[in-house]
């Protein structure tokens, strides 16, 4: 669960030969992996492999910010995981273009998670939220509450205390106010963040609605807007089609189950269903058009 790195000059020469032969590839300066193994790993797994190797190579390092959040098991947008973040004393600085970002602390907190030294959870979350945009921050804050690392009250109090006078604290406080542990994935959180940021009415989350064909059978919907006597259901499609899933029949079954579920929900009185997907998050104007056609009101 870690990348390869050289501990001696002899190992460094051996690694160089293997890289030249193609049996190892460089995955970060000084870190290596077998190409066939690396290709099977998902983005987050690759990131943690690098962090574990760096933690072994530099046992005095304390990881912070987005890196520490990933080590804790918190959802972080891939956009925030292009570099590794460490906590250092004020005397050190970050080299331009480096894959390692050094955050200067007067006082470093130090906890341990998966045998990796990280800043404590309060410091970690504050550092993330004062740096992140509203959209990326809500992904993190929702995950913190969903995984029960802290209560919403504790999150708000932590940002007020540790974020005091820091650049980005206004956005961090707004994120903490809107954070909701009912959100079940980073995609659901990002969609909701865009809904809020672009001025649409904030939906209820994970509401149970009963199947009109089989009344005792409940369905939980990702988002729900109650507009007078009308219901607008929002569903986020986070299922990613892969060759393996297709081969195993999982993708087809998931599609069938979703069609059945949507068919039943559409039979509810005065009900509309709007499906959101990753493409809508990449181009929020598509999200706007879907919500407008569905009848979701703007709130300013």
């Amino acid at each position: 669960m870690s990348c390869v790195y050289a501990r001696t000059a002899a190992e460094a020469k051996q690694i160089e030969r293997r890289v030249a032969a193609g049996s190892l590839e460089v995955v970060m300066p000084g870190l290596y992996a077998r190409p066939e193994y690396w290709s099977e790993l998902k983005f987050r797994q690759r990131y943690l492999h690098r962090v574990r190797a760096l933690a072994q190579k530099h046992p005095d390092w304390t990881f912070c910010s987005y890196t520490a959040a990933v080590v804790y098991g918190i959802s972080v947008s891939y956009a925030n995981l292009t570099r590794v973040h460490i906590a250092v004393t004020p005397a050190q600085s970050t080299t331009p273009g480096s894959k390692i970002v050094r955050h200067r602390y007067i006082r470093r907190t130090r906890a341990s998670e998966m045998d990796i030294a990280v800043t404590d959870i309060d410091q970690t979350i504050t550092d993330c939220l004062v740096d992140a945009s509203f959209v990326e921050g809500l992904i993190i804050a929702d995950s913190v509450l969903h995984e029960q690392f802290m209560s919403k009250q504790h999150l708000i109090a932590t940002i007020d205390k540790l974020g005091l006078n820091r650049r980005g604290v206004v956005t961090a406080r707004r994120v903490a106010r809107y954070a909701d542990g009912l959100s079940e994935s980073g995609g659901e959180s990002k969609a909701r963040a865009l809904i809020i940021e672009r001025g649409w009415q904030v939906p209820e989350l994970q509401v149970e609605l009963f199947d009109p064909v089989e009344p005792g059978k409940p369905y939980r919907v990702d988002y729900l807007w109650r507009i007078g006597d009308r219901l607008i259901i929002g569903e986020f499609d986070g299922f990613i089609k892969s060759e393996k899933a297709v081969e195993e029949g999982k993708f087809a079954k998931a599609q069938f189950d979703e069609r059945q579920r949507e068919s039943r929900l559409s039979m509810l009185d005065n009900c509309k269903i709007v499906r959101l997907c990753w493409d809508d998050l990449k181009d929020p104007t598509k999200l706007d058009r879907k919500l407008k056609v569905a009848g979701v009101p703007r709130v300013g």
Side-chain angles (χ1 to χ4, degrees), residues 98-116:
S98 172
K99 291 292 184 181
I100 306 295
V101 181
R102 290 170 167 80
H103 296 260
R104 290 180 282 178
Y105 289 78
I106 295 174
R107 181 186 68 86
R108 279 188 302 180
T109 62
R110 190 173 168 94
S112 180
E113 191 75 17
M114 296 194 306
D115 294 324
I116 299 172

Side-chain angles (χ1 to χ4, degrees), residues 129-130 134 159 163 165-177:
L129 297 191
V130 297
F134 176 77
I159 298 303
N165 297 327
R166 292 182 64 176
R167 181 184 297 177
V169 70
V170 173
T171 298
R173 285 172 174 154
R174 185 167 180 247
V175 166
R177 288 200 309 273

Side-chain angles (χ1 to χ4, degrees), residues 44-55:
R44 189 183 180 96
Q45 292 171 320
R46 291 183 179 188
Y47 190 82
L48 282 171
H49 273 61
R50 296 185 184 104
V51 173
R52 288 191 190 97
L54 290 170

Side-chain angles (χ1 to χ4, degrees), residues 57-129:
K57 192 175 180 180
H58 304 282
D60 58 323
W61 280 10
T62 300
F63 296 86
C64 65
S65 187
Y66 303 116
T67 302
V70 171
V71 173
Y72 277 114
I74 295 163
S75 291
V76 179
S77 171
Y78 292 171
N80 296 129
L81 298 180
T82 57
R83 297 192 288 178
V84 173
H85 301 260
I86 63 171
V88 298
T89 58
Q92 296 174 281
S93 61
T94 298
T95 303
S98 172
K99 291 292 184 181
I100 306 295
V101 181
R102 290 170 167 80
H103 296 260
R104 290 180 282 178
Y105 289 78
I106 295 174
R107 181 186 68 86
R108 279 188 302 180
T109 62
R110 190 173 168 94
S112 180
E113 191 75 17
M114 296 194 306
D115 294 324
I116 299 172
V118 292
T119 48
D120 68 38
I121 191 69
D122 286 5
Q123 187 70 61
T124 296
I125 300 311
T126 302
D127 292 343
C128 289
L129 297 191

Side-chain angles (χ1 to χ4, degrees), residues 4-19 24 32:
V4 175
Y5 62 92
R7 294 167 294 182
T8 65
E11 285 185 357
K13 289 181 180 179
Q14 188 180 33
I15 286 172
E16 285 177 12
R17 289 194 294 271
R18 294 193 177 189
V19 170
L24 284 178
Y32 310 86

Side-chain angles (χ1 to χ4, degrees), residues 72 74 119-127 129 140-160 162 176 179-182:
Y72 277 114
I74 295 163
T119 48
D120 68 38
I121 191 69
D122 286 5
Q123 187 70 61
T124 296
I125 300 311
T126 302
D127 292 343
L129 297 191
I140 295 168
D142 281 356
S143 180
V144 167
L145 300 188
H146 184 75
E147 300 298 335
Q148 299 183 345
F149 282 102
M150 61 182 69
S151 67
K152 182 164 181 171
Q153 291 74 17
H154 184 89
L155 173 64
I156 292 171
T158 295
I159 298 303
D160 282 341
L162 299 182
D180 195 323
L182 291 175

